[in-house]
């Protein structure tokens, strides 16, 4: 049976980054990627779904140099972000977080980004295999090697370390971690895909040139139900934009007053589908235009200019590092629905896992990713708690207050008094919530929970 030092399940940003780091540090690393087709890629590869983009400080979190992304990956350099409530608007031109990248952020071509990371991994010496499906990972804690990676084609392999990078659906991660959890605590109980995940849908559309804004990503809050539900418009290469939405899975329209939400209609018998939400957003924002004025760009995205994908929006988990296993990126629940992108978390956790596995020091993985990314995760889970159960009026009021809290440094808590009583209340609730997640209390499955 073939043996490798590090077997990596999944070839997206986390998996490729883990492979490159492991190979750079002398390990024999293999990436096992099942491969999916895309309209904008001439070969099968990872399930590359375009995210919102990258904020300035995320490039530092990924441990990249400010100019490291190649030109063919970058689509638009951003000056800021626009946030809209039903009636109020907030424009941010600074994230308020120190960063080495000179600018607010950028949007990028996700398939090209993934292919670039794949090329970096293979250039470092990693073996990147496409069309290989992993059925399961069996671990013998007393064995050497510890892991047997069972493949769908029967060509199994063994590994000293396993990096799980199979994304928010966790098709391999779930069964692998269940080996070390008590019978009454399966990973599917901790991170159920129908509750822990969000669903996102987007369309690549060519906009009328007079409407296309290449400098800002745009989000609308409080116009569709779900406390972390929002539509967006993100600029790609002019005048093509991605127009889509994120929302929690399993919403029931009976739980909402249809009249309160701009993108709902009295005739709705259920939560609208993604493509209907996009059409309603375009009609709401551009009433003098027809949908035909925004044609689909059919050679983009997964198929016909559209794509649907899960987002793991939840509190993350730690890994059973004592068993020689690291969980990375979306599989560990490290993505926030608020910014619709977890590539920076995936890249950094993959880099850390690959390096430590190559150095026979994987027991440090949980401590290292928490030191690198803990503050980012803590902000995200605190915001999710803060806005839970908000309605349209709450979003409007919040954006009005946030405008008062903003200065050249971004939105800063020390400006709370400028926002009046509501500003003080919001900042206090945020600070208290964040305090509650101090240390690593944002983690919902700990290293000590595994039976190893």
């Amino acid at each position: 049976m073939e043996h490798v030092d590090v077997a990596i399940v999944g070839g997206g940003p986390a998996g490729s980054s883990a492979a490159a780091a492991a190979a750079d540090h002398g390990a024999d690393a293999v990436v096992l990627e099942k491969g999916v087709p895309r309209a904008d890629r001439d070969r099968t590869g990872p399930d590359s779904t375009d995210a919102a983009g990258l904020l300035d400080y995320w490039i530092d979190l990924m441990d990249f140099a400010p100019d490291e992304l190649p030109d063919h990956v970058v689509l638009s350099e951003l000056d800021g972000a626009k946030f809209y409530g039903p009636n109020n608007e907030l424009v941010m031109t600074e994230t308020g977080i120190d960063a080495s990248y000179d600018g607010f952020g950028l949007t990028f071509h996700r398939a090209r980004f993934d292919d670039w990371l794949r090329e970096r991994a293979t250039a470092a010496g990693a073996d990147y295999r496409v069309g290989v499906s992993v059925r399961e990972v069996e671990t013998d804690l007393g064995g050497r090697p510890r892991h047997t990676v069972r493949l769908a084609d029967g060509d199994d392999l063994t590994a000293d370390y396993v990096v799980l990078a199979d994304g928010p659906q966790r098709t391999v991660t779930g069964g692998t971690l269940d080996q070390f959890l008590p019978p009454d605590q399966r990973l599917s109980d901790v991170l159920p895909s129908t509750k822990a995940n969000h669903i996102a849908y987007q369309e690549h559309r060519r906009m009328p040139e007079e409407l296309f804004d290449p400098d800002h990503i745009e989000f609308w809050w409080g116009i569709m139900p779900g406390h972390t539900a929002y539509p967006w418009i993100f600029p790609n290469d002019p005048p093509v934009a991605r127009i889509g939405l994120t929302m929690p899975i399993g919403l029931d329209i009976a739980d909402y007053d249809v009249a309160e939400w701009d993108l709902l209609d009295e005739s709705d018998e259920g939560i609208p589908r993604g493509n209907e939400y996009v059409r309603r957003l375009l009609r709401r924002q551009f009433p003098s235009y027809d949908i035909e004025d925004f044609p689909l760009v059919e050679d983009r995205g997964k198929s016909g200019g559209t794509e649907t994908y899960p987002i793991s929006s939840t509190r993350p988990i730690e890994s059973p590092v004592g068993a020689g296993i690291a969980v990375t990126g979306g599989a560990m629940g490290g993505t926030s629905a608020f910014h619709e992108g977890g590539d920076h978390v995936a890249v950094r956790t993959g880099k850390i896992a690959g390096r430590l596995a190559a150095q026979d020091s994987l027991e440090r993985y949980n401590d290292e990713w928490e030191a690198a990314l803990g503050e980012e995760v803590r902000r995200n889970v605190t915001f999710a708690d803060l806005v839970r159960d908000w309605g349209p009026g709450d979003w409007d009021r919040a954006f009005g207050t946030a405008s008062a809290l903003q200065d050249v440094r971004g939105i800063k808590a020390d400006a709370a008094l400028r926002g009046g009583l509501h500003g003080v209340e919001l900042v206090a609730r945020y600070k208290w919530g964040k305090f509650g997640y101090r240390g690593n209390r944002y983690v919902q499955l700990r290293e000590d929970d595994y039976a190893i």
Side-chain angles (χ1 to χ4, degrees):
M1 190 180 298
E2 179 185 7
H3 175 76
V4 296
D5 298 326
V6 186
I8 300 155
V9 181
S16 289
S17 299
D24 275 338
H25 287 82
D28 178 15
V30 61
V31 177
L32 306 169
E33 166 57 49
K34 65 180 180 180
V36 297
R38 284 181 62 92
D40 53 6
R41 176 187 280 139
D42 59 6
R43 58 181 176 176
T44 57
D47 193 2
S48 307
T49 302
D50 286 295
L54 296 174
L55 299 179
D56 54 3
Y57 72 96
W58 290 359
I59 295 175
D60 291 331
L61 289 182
M62 288 191 294
D63 198 26
F64 284 149
D67 58 352
E68 195 164 350
L69 289 178
D71 290 342
H72 75 279
V73 170
V74 178
L75 294 173
S76 290
E77 300 277 357
L78 299 172
D79 292 336
K82 296 179 180 179
F83 301 89
Y84 305 96
N87 300 293
N88 283 338
E89 175 182 340
L90 170 69
V91 179
M92 290 184 62
T93 58
E94 300 285 343
T95 61
I97 298 174
D98 291 338
S100 57
Y101 177 81
D102 184 18
F104 183 84
L106 56 91
T107 62
F108 63 99
H109 192 294
R110 173 61 192 274
R112 294 176 189 167
F113 177 70
D114 282 1
D115 288 347
W116 173 65
L117 291 174
R118 173 180 174 178
E119 291 162 4
R120 287 165 60 96
T122 56
D127 184 3
Y128 192 112
R129 303 178 188 176
V130 182
V132 182
S133 294
V134 176
R135 291 193 295 111
E136 61 182 342
V137 177
E138 297 176 359
T139 301
D140 178 0
L141 294 177
R144 287 295 181 269
R146 285 177 288 191
H147 308 293
T148 301
V149 182
R150 303 290 184 188
L151 306 181
D153 62 5
D155 290 334
D156 303 337
L157 56 85
T158 61
D160 297 322
Y161 296 99
V162 168
V163 175
L164 297 168
D166 55 339
Q169 293 176 306
R170 307 177 188 91
T171 53
V172 178
T173 293
T176 302
L177 299 195
D178 282 349
Q179 298 176 91
F180 314 111
L181 293 173
D184 60 347
Q185 189 183 18
R186 305 287 84 180
L187 187 66
S188 59
D189 298 325
V190 180
L191 294 177
S193 60
T194 55
K195 294 182 179 178
N197 287 353
H198 283 50
I199 196 73
Y201 172 83
Q202 64 183 356
E203 299 176 350
H204 297 249
R205 289 188 173 270
R206 188 176 302 279
M207 297 187 68
E209 292 190 8
E210 65 272 19
L211 300 180
F212 183 79
D213 182 354
D215 302 321
H216 297 87
I217 48 177
E218 298 179 282
F219 304 85
W220 285 261
W221 294 89
I223 64 173
M224 57 184 290
H227 74 288
T228 48
Y230 56 96
W232 69 71
I233 296 179
F234 303 146
N236 279 5
D237 46 321
V240 176
R242 283 175 285 121
I243 306 173
L245 59 114
T246 296
M247 63 180 173
I249 294 174
L251 297 179
D252 186 344
I253 199 168
D255 295 332
Y256 301 95
D257 181 352
V258 172
E260 283 188 349
W261 304 90
D262 285 3
L263 296 192
L264 293 184
D265 187 88
E266 294 290 350
S267 64
D268 289 333
E269 296 181 356
I271 296 295
R273 296 172 62 88
N275 58 354
E276 179 59 25
Y277 265 139
V278 168
R279 282 151 183 75
R280 293 181 185 184
L281 175 69
L282 291 175
R283 285 197 297 267
R284 179 185 188 271
Q285 296 306 124
F286 312 111
S288 61
Y289 291 80
D290 297 324
I291 190 67
E292 291 77 16
D293 296 321
F294 304 84
L296 278 170
V297 184
E298 296 187 357
D299 61 350
R300 305 287 182 93
K302 290 184 180 178
S303 177
T306 70
E307 45 199 338
T308 303
Y309 53 98
I311 298 175
S312 182
S313 179
T314 182
R315 291 161 53 199
I317 62 172
E318 292 182 338
S319 296
V321 292
I325 296 173
V327 191
T328 60
M332 65 186 283
T335 307
S336 165
F338 280 97
H339 50 56
E340 216 298 82
D343 296 297
H344 59 303
V345 174
V347 169
R348 188 62 180 274
T349 54
K351 284 185 173 183
I352 293 171
R355 171 176 55 82
L356 293 177
Q359 295 172 336
D360 290 318
S361 301
L362 198 64
E363 69 277 0
R364 300 193 340 239
Y365 173 66
N366 292 320
D367 290 338
E368 287 210 17
W369 79 251
E370 288 165 13
L373 297 163
E375 185 64 16
E376 166 81 344
V377 174
R378 190 158 69 118
R379 277 193 299 267
N380 293 335
V381 296
T382 302
F383 275 125
D385 290 345
L386 181 67
V387 304
R388 198 169 300 278
D389 300 323
W390 276 18
D394 299 302
W395 284 107
D396 257 343
R397 189 180 182 199
F399 286 139
T401 300
S403 293
L405 299 182
Q406 190 171 205
D407 60 24
V408 293
R409 304 165 298 159
I411 295 176
K412 288 295 184 178
D414 58 15
L417 289 177
R418 291 208 305 269
L421 291 177
H422 189 237
V424 173
E425 176 193 358
L426 278 181
V427 170
R429 288 179 59 200
Y430 171 73
K431 288 287 190 180
W432 180 248
K434 194 174 174 184
F435 177 76
Y437 287 121
R438 65 194 181 280
N440 64 349
R441 292 175 185 170
Y442 50 80
V443 171
Q444 62 175 320
L445 182 63
R446 300 180 182 281
E447 182 179 338
D448 291 344
D449 293 329
Y450 300 101
I452 297 173

